[in-house]
Amino acid sequence: MSKRAWVGLFTLLGILGFLSIFYVITDIATRSNGYKIGIHFNSAAGLRPAALVYESGVGIGAVDRIDLLPDYTTEVIVAVRKKVDIPTGSRFLINTPLTGEPSLLIVPPRRPGPENPELRGQPTGFDTLPHEVLPLAEQPKGTNPATITDLLEEGQGQLRTLDRMLADFSKTEPKMLAELQSTLHNANELTSNANASLTRLTDQFSGITDSLQKSLTLASSNIVDLSSSLDSTAKVSSGRVDTLLISLNGAATQLSASIDALHAIAANPQVKDNLLETTRSIALTTKTLADLTNDLRQVTGNPQTQGQLRDTVAHIDAATQKADSLLSALGGKSSVYGVDSGATPIPAGARPPGAKPGAKSSGNAPVASSASVGLPANIRSKVGALVKNLAEIQIRVSQLAPQRPGSAAIGSPLLTADRGPQTDINLIALPKGNTSLFLGANDIGAKTTYNFSALSAIGHLKVGGGILYSRLGLIAKLQQGRIGLETRLYDLRHPTLDAYGSVSPLPHFQLFGGERDVLQRDRRAVFGLQADF
């Protein structure tokens, strides 16, 4: 080839190399083949068309053009490669270094991961911007970097603030120094006073320590003497305590045998038949008494017969009251006219006890008609009152709340998983007396336990102790009108406290409710009905 041909060839290659470099630097392929997005900046200072665009430090395109908007803000149109997406929420920053070409930086939002533990629980995926230029209101907002001018203005503001602070400090400095001097003087006086007070407190503490040492020495000697006395007392009384425990054990054994016998009698079908037969006999006797009353009403038309009947009624009344007086020694109530204050007077027209039949009464009461004579009813009321003063039967039917989970291993041995209904029957001897006996059985037909206690009345309050639920225990009852309270403490191995409240909607019937084993976590709520006969 000739020299001109070689020169032409090199010239052509140089032009092609220059075009290639220009093509790469200006990223014309991306600007012509990629997609475009719009970014809204307040100012595009430092940025120019064809500036490179980086996402997470990787080049993804170039700035296509920069448009000035009517409000003097700028819209930057960026050309991005087709296969590159920009996450929604990314930050757009203008990078204008002191040396080198400016560029546009795209910083995607952080993803949850080990390096960002505070973002755990958030979605790991991101939405991406559409591959088009959005309307201005929907375009992402760009951030302008702080310029040296901005930094200088902010520094000038801080300097002015510092100057004002120094001026204020110079004005208040004399006052602050005076207050500081006064504070130091007060602190010096306070230190002196504290030193003197500490010296006095040390002297007082030394005196208290000496007194305490003497008291401890005397208390130690007293404890030694008391231990010796208790030891000798225990040695002397140990035989008596053993005898008492043996007696209590024998009494408990005999009581258990008696309750077993009572339970066997109650379960005997023959006893049930006897009770039915007795009921029939009582019904027949009642009918006979009714017929007898009718006959008496027909016979008592004679005034002399009426007088004799009144005498008979007076004798029966006097005998009943004497029986009540005899029961007063056991806690009953006495009401004998002429003996006890407030007793029922002798009926008008009746002769006193011991007078001869036919003697005239000192009163001038009118003669009662045959319909006013109530001999059978009077006898029944007196006998019923006598029986009520002697004994009372108490029947309780109760239901327990469900057992708490995990309480069976640590709870009272009496509170099993059984919820009831539980039936308790108790007999109260001398219920209206100052001292009464309380015996019976609990939860009959299941895990039966027994009661045998003595109660003493203090006003409306009754307190006592003995055997409760086949264990040693104490009992207290308070009844005020229709409202009542009751508490029981028993079982030395597992101290159990029960508390009940009751209300009497009807005579002889009570609705009660409360808690079993109140002081423990495994306590059980209980409610039920009680009847007294």
Side-chain angles (χ1 to χ4, degrees):
M1 294 178 61
S2 66
K3 181 182 290 186
R4 291 183 178 180
W6 283 107
V7 172
L9 178 61
F10 279 110
T11 302
L12 182 59
L13 292 176
I15 293 173
L16 291 176
F18 177 77
L19 291 177
S20 299
I21 294 173
F22 181 78
Y23 180 83
V24 171
I25 292 176
T26 58
D27 203 1
I28 295 176
T30 301
R31 295 170 63 182
S32 59
N33 297 329
Y35 65 92
K36 297 179 180 180
I37 62 171
I39 305 169
H40 188 197
F41 283 90
N42 290 331
S43 173
L47 197 66
R48 61 176 180 77
L52 297 179
V53 178
Y54 296 94
E55 181 178 11
S56 297
V58 179
I60 62 169
V63 175
D64 186 65
R65 71 177 188 274
I66 301 174
D67 298 331
L68 181 64
L69 301 177
D71 60 351
Y72 300 105
T73 59
T74 59
E75 180 184 26
V76 178
I77 305 301
V78 177
V80 185
R81 297 174 186 172
K82 288 184 178 181
K83 296 183 180 181
V84 177
D85 294 325
I86 300 176
T88 303
S90 299
R91 292 186 299 157
F92 298 86
L93 308 174
I94 297 177
N95 182 26
T96 55
L98 295 177
T99 59
E101 291 294 328
S103 60
L104 179 62
L105 303 181
I106 301 176
V107 182
R110 293 188 299 172
R111 294 175 177 269
E115 67 280 1
N116 299 317
E118 69 279 3
L119 300 179
R120 291 177 182 174
Q122 298 185 8
T124 57
F126 292 105
D127 294 334
T128 57
L129 294 176
H131 292 189
E132 61 181 352
V133 178
L134 297 174
L136 186 63
E138 300 178 8
Q139 289 180 3
K141 304 297 180 181
T143 304
N144 295 95
T147 63
I148 295 177
T149 304
D150 296 336
L151 295 176
L152 291 176
E153 290 180 356
E154 184 176 359
Q156 289 293 333
Q158 296 295 330
L159 290 175
R160 286 192 292 271
T161 302
L162 180 60
D163 186 59
R164 287 195 300 270
M165 291 175 62
L166 292 175
D168 294 338
F169 181 74
S170 63
K171 292 179 181 179
T172 59
E173 182 181 3
K175 184 178 179 180
M176 292 176 60
L177 290 176
E179 292 179 352
L180 179 60
Q181 184 65 30
S182 176
T183 302
L184 291 175
H185 180 69
N186 294 334
N188 189 21
E189 292 183 353
L190 181 61
T191 303
S192 301
N193 294 333
N195 188 19
S197 300
L198 184 61
T199 303
R200 291 194 300 270
L201 181 62
T202 303
D203 296 338
Q204 294 176 0
F205 182 74
S206 298
I208 293 173
T209 304
D210 295 338
S211 300
L212 183 60
Q213 182 64 36
K214 295 177 181 178
S215 300
L216 287 175
T217 304
L218 181 60
S220 299
S221 61
N222 292 336
I223 290 174
V224 172
D225 296 338
L226 180 61
S227 300
S228 302
S229 301
L230 289 175
D231 187 34
S232 59
T233 303
K235 291 179 180 179
V236 173
S237 303
S238 59
R240 297 178 182 176
V241 173
D242 292 339
T243 304
L244 179 60
L245 292 176
I246 292 172
S247 300
L248 288 176
N249 190 19
T253 303
Q254 294 176 2
L255 178 63
S256 178
S258 301
I259 296 300
D260 291 339
L262 180 62
H263 187 271
I265 292 174
N268 192 346
Q270 186 176 0
V271 174
K272 181 179 179 180
D273 296 338
N274 292 338
L275 288 175
L276 293 175
E277 186 63 28
T278 302
T279 304
R280 296 190 188 97
S281 299
I282 291 174
L284 182 60
T285 303
T286 303
K287 183 177 182 303
T288 304
L289 288 175
D291 295 339
L292 180 60
T293 302
N294 188 25
D295 294 339
L296 287 174
R297 288 178 179 175
Q298 294 177 1
V299 171
T300 54
N302 190 339
Q304 183 177 0
T305 304
Q306 294 177 1
Q308 292 175 352
L309 289 174
R310 284 195 296 272
D311 293 341
T312 303
V313 171
H315 279 290
I316 292 174
D317 183 68
T320 304
Q321 294 185 19
K322 287 180 180 180
D324 290 342
S325 178
L326 182 61
L327 290 174
S328 65
L330 298 176
K333 294 182 179 179
S334 172
S335 182
V336 178
Y337 182 72
V339 178
D340 302 313
S341 59
T344 305
I346 299 176
R351 66 178 183 273
K356 295 181 180 180
K360 294 183 178 180
S361 171
S362 59
N364 296 321
V367 178
S369 63
S370 61
S372 65
V373 178
L375 179 59
N378 191 15
I379 293 175
R380 287 196 299 270
S381 65
K382 295 296 181 181
V383 173
L386 179 62
V387 173
K388 288 291 290 181
N389 287 333
L390 286 176
E392 182 178 273
I393 297 178
Q394 182 188 92
I395 300 177
R396 294 165 63 104
V397 178
S398 58
Q399 182 79 17
L400 276 75
Q403 190 177 40
R404 289 178 172 83
S407 63
I410 61 174
S412 171
L414 296 174
L415 294 178
T416 63
D418 180 30
R419 297 184 56 191
Q422 297 183 358
T423 304
D424 304 346
I425 298 179
N426 297 291
L427 174 65
I428 304 175
L430 304 177
K432 298 181 180 179
N434 293 330
T435 302
S436 57
L437 296 178
F438 177 79
L439 65 157
N442 309 300
D443 197 7
I444 297 176
K447 192 174 182 179
T448 306
T449 56
Y450 306 102
N451 305 320
F452 186 76
S453 303
L455 299 175
S456 180
I458 306 175
H460 296 284
L461 178 65
K462 288 188 175 182
V463 295
I467 303 299
L468 295 175
Y469 297 100
S470 298
R471 289 159 173 80
L472 289 177
L474 301 174
I475 185 171
K477 296 182 178 181
L478 177 63
Q479 188 70 34
Q480 186 70 30
R482 296 180 178 271
I483 305 299
L485 297 174
E486 180 179 344
T487 181
R488 300 180 182 184
L489 178 62
Y490 52 91
D491 195 352
L492 297 179
R493 290 192 174 184
H494 186 286
T496 303
L497 177 65
D498 299 348
Y500 304 96
S502 63
V503 61
S504 301
L506 296 173
H508 308 295
F509 289 93
Q510 293 182 4
L511 295 175
F512 66 90
E515 293 278 351
R516 296 282 303 275
D517 205 0
V518 176
L519 302 180
Q520 301 297 329
R521 183 179 63 84
D522 54 329
R523 58 185 177 273
R524 300 278 296 280
V526 61
F527 60 92
L529 174 67
Q530 174 177 310
D532 301 319
F533 301 100

